[in-house]
Amino acid sequence: MQRFEISDKDAMGRIGRLETPHGKIETPALMPVINPNIEFIPAKDMKKFGAEILITNAYIIYRTPELREKAIKKGVHGVLEVDIPVMTDSGSYQLMVYGDVEISNEEILKFQIDIGSDIIVPLDVPTPPDADYGTALSDLEVTLQREREALKLERGDRLLALPIQGSTHMDLRRRCAEEVVKMGGDVYPIGGIVPLMDTYRFYNLVKIILEVKSVLPSYAPVHLFGAGHPMVFALAVALGCDLFDSAAYALYAKDDRYLTPHGTKKLEELQYFPCSCPICLEYTPEELRRMDKDERQRLIAEHNLWVSFEEIRRIKQAIKEDNLFELVECRIRSHPNLLFAWRQIREYGWLLEQYDPSMKHSFLYSGVESCYRPAVLRHHERVLNVELPDKDEIIISTDEGVLADFYLRPAFGVVPIEMLESYPAGHAEIPPSELLEDEALEIAVQGLKRFLDHHSDRRFVIVASGKWLEFLKDLPENAVVKHDKP
Ligand code: GUN
Ligand code: ZN
């Protein structure tokens, strides 16, 4: 049965609905992690921040006799005192951190089923980044074996998550993705990535997501396991991730760290709160610093939740307005590692192309990454099929004051007159070429060269001025460049 329905799309992101036994949730969704042992922010208060679904740890419940007894009697929803969907994790994270867990795959799966979890997770093996190939491969075989075992269990209408592992070995990530799709899960978490996020290795993170997405079908809901920092949400959604889970709100608060969509602040360095959540309106950083530790940590955790859910809503609105690329291009400027991680989309144009809607309202240029959007690539393809006027010499001008058959625009390259007013080239807000990064002109000229080669039997005059002249070199023989203002 298809449990995931997609209603809106932008970049590789989407707004969807995932059906669980406790009702539908809207994605992208952030699942706050509830530690069933520690009453920090009670699960029942999570709704007020915007949570529609929670995640807790079945292994911790299982290992704590009072909780286990209560869970068997009243279910996991009874333990957390909520009636919204609850996903349970299996203890794999403990396996990663402590190297061992005292439970079998089958036991923890059956326990999750018994306590009425909405989304159950097998005991996958999270291989850390940079593991040697042999280790990653043998861990992967164990993971896949456990996932096959999970499929055999009667689980009623509960959803089954089939995590994707493989460390930083891209062929293993792809292979795992292929296998789990063949098995047919309900949710596909990308696992083993927390160490990458903790060390800001976003390059590897983005690569893994893109490789996995290149294998998964578009209708598969993807969970980014352990991603809870709002600075990565926009990027991850734009790459096609639908679910996040956050212990970050609590873990960071315990070290007096304050989350923002641009990164993390230490409470000690803040004179002002750059936020208008109820906590930041009521207190100053100095007042928080003077509080006792427990109270302070709870308030920081609350702020962390407010900003995290605010970012999720902002992303959903960006999808509705089809400007998710613009939002991501802002967010990646918060850290250089995000910036060059995102630039990898350049090598995955064929993949983004499959997802990104071809009609949008506008195109706001924010840097060279804007040139890597599918809108630009598509334009370069499309213009090759435009019919040429029946003339001996076809005029292409860089200056729109000059009468010509085609114009040369940054990023987009050759634009026929009839496309001057339409999306994307005609709706693009791009700074004047004189002020622009060279790459935006280089990409345009690459497009021009393809266009000229494509029409090698025709003759072209390129009327150019200013900075364009530096880039209009080594053109094919069917083109001559004329200075616009000699
Ligand atoms: N939590 C964070 N990372 C992981 C992972 O790789 N697997 C599971 N099951 N839980 C996680
Ligand atoms: Zn705040």
Side-chain angles (χ1 to χ4, degrees):
M1 192 180 69
Q2 194 51 41
R3 310 280 199 100
F4 186 54
E5 241 174 61
I6 294 168
S7 59
D8 302 86
K9 301 178 192 177
D10 192 21
M12 291 171 71
R14 54 275 188 99
I15 294 177
R17 300 225 171 4
L18 182 67
E19 195 179 328
T20 80
H22 281 79
K24 283 189 182 182
I25 57 150
E26 189 175 81
T27 65
L30 170 61
M31 304 183 275
V33 174
I34 307 293
N35 183 332
N37 258 328
I38 303 164
E39 176 93 335
F40 191 48
I41 295 177
K44 57 179 181 298
D45 291 355
M46 287 296 175
K47 253 185 178 169
K48 108 177 158 196
F49 298 99
E52 294 180 38
I53 174 170
L54 307 174
I55 183 167
T56 191
N57 194 301
Y59 180 64
I60 295 176
I61 297 176
Y62 186 90
R63 298 270 294 162
T64 315
E66 315 85 79
L67 287 173
R68 180 168 163 185
E69 202 176 310
K70 194 170 175 187
I72 288 166
K73 263 196 217 134
K74 297 182 170 176
V76 65
H77 295 79
V79 172
L80 302 184
E81 299 175 13
V82 294
D83 55 10
I84 61 175
V86 176
M87 178 173 180
T88 47
D89 200 356
S90 55
S92 291
Y93 196 68
Q94 285 68 22
L95 182 65
M96 179 162 83
V97 176
Y98 306 111
D100 194 18
V101 285
E102 288 168 34
I103 197 162
S104 74
N105 180 49
E106 191 173 346
E107 278 171 302
I108 195 62
L109 281 163
K110 282 189 170 155
F111 182 65
Q112 293 176 73
I113 294 169
D114 287 345
I115 64 177
S117 167
D118 289 276
I119 307 179
I120 65 171
V121 183
L123 194 61
D124 57 307
V125 183
T127 316
D130 315 316
D132 69 77
Y133 194 85
T135 307
L137 178 62
S138 60
D139 282 357
L140 187 59
E141 268 151 14
V142 175
T143 294
L144 290 171
Q145 185 48 41
R146 290 175 178 181
E147 296 183 332
R148 282 188 202 103
E149 204 174 359
L151 279 163
K152 290 195 201 119
L153 298 175
E154 179 52 58
R155 64 175 193 274
D157 56 357
R158 287 168 192 76
L159 279 68
L160 173 63
L162 296 179
I164 296 167
Q165 298 290 348
S167 180
T168 33
H169 301 287
M170 297 307 151
D171 61 321
L172 295 183
R173 288 283 182 180
R174 282 195 304 273
R175 195 181 123 201
C176 189
E178 275 161 22
E179 295 291 329
V180 293
V181 170
K182 270 191 250 161
M183 289 182 214
D186 301 299
V187 173
Y188 300 97
I190 300 178
I193 52 169
V194 171
L196 293 177
M197 292 184 288
D198 286 347
T199 54
Y200 282 46
R201 288 175 60 183
F202 302 123
Y203 187 89
N204 302 79
L205 177 69
V206 166
K207 182 104 184 148
I208 290 168
I209 300 172
L210 284 164
E211 289 291 328
V212 164
K213 286 294 284 192
S214 73
V215 171
L216 291 181
S218 60
Y219 55 79
V222 178
H223 172 188
L224 205 53
F225 238 139
H229 198 305
M231 86 191 279
V232 302
F233 292 165
L235 168 136
V237 170
L239 296 174
C241 298
D242 306 292
L243 293 160
F244 302 94
D245 64 279
S246 174
Y249 77 91
L251 296 175
Y252 281 65
K254 287 195 193 321
D255 302 332
D256 287 336
R257 287 187 294 168
Y258 176 100
L259 300 182
T260 86
H262 306 282
T264 312
K265 301 270 180 203
K266 294 282 290 173
L267 179 64
E268 67 195 35
E269 68 195 15
L270 285 172
Q271 310 311 310
Y272 306 94
F273 282 137
C275 169
S276 305
C277 81
I279 308 307
C280 298
L281 287 181
E282 188 163 343
Y283 304 97
T284 64
E286 183 54 30
E287 282 167 340
L288 281 198
R289 282 192 284 270
R290 284 201 300 255
M291 274 176 196
D292 79 75
K293 197 166 156 229
D294 286 355
E295 174 76 349
R296 180 173 71 241
Q297 290 181 349
R298 192 176 54 77
L299 293 172
I300 297 173
E302 288 196 16
H303 155 82
N304 289 348
L305 285 166
W306 286 119
V307 280
S308 299
F309 282 100
E310 176 181 277
E311 181 70 356
I312 296 285
R313 290 191 300 277
R314 185 180 288 118
I315 292 165
K316 289 193 214 174
Q317 181 60 25
I319 294 174
K320 290 276 185 192
E321 290 176 358
D322 57 41
N323 56 25
L324 185 56
F325 276 109
E326 281 84 351
L327 177 60
V328 173
E329 289 168 13
C330 288
R331 289 294 179 263
I332 56 177
R333 284 173 167 70
S334 306
H335 196 283
N337 291 10
L338 285 171
L339 187 61
F340 70 78
W342 178 250
R343 286 184 182 159
Q344 286 173 95
I345 65 162
R346 192 166 189 192
E347 285 108 66
Y348 291 83
W350 57 274
L351 179 63
L352 274 88
E353 162 71 34
Q354 290 170 30
Y355 281 87
D356 187 45
S358 52
M359 264 319 291
K360 301 193 190 193
H361 295 93
S362 63
F363 181 105
L364 298 187
Y365 178 94
S366 67
V368 290
E369 304 75 33
S370 307
C371 304
Y372 310 155
R373 296 185 203 166
V376 173
L377 306 181
R378 280 194 195 110
H379 176 85
H380 282 235
E381 290 300 319
R382 201 171 144 209
V383 76
L384 295 179
N385 298 319
V386 168
E387 224 173 285
L388 302 188
D390 189 14
K391 298 162 82 179
D392 286 346
E393 271 187 347
I394 294 159
I395 316 281
I396 302 178
S397 172
T398 64
D399 178 352
E400 285 173 24
V402 169
L403 192 62
D405 303 301
F406 292 88
Y407 293 92
L408 203 54
R409 281 192 172 168
F412 292 97
V414 182
V415 183
I417 295 190
E418 62 272 22
M419 290 187 193
L420 278 181
E421 299 298 325
S422 53
Y423 179 84
H427 290 193
E429 296 284 348
I430 304 186
S433 51
E434 301 301 314
L435 304 174
L436 209 50
E437 291 89 346
D438 289 357
E439 199 175 342
L441 300 188
E442 280 160 11
I443 288 172
V445 172
Q446 276 165 24
L448 169 69
K449 287 181 179 170
R450 259 185 87 193
F451 181 80
L452 296 172
D453 283 333
H454 188 76
H455 297 291
S456 56
D457 55 337
R458 304 294 300 269
R459 287 190 11 234
F460 296 86
V461 177
I462 322 284
V463 182
S465 61
K467 197 170 166 184
W468 280 107
L469 289 165
E470 297 165 32
F471 297 90
L472 291 167
K473 289 183 181 145
D474 308 316
L475 294 185
E477 286 183 351
N478 57 333
V480 289
V481 178
K482 271 196 190 152
H483 290 217
D484 184 8
K485 289 161 192 129

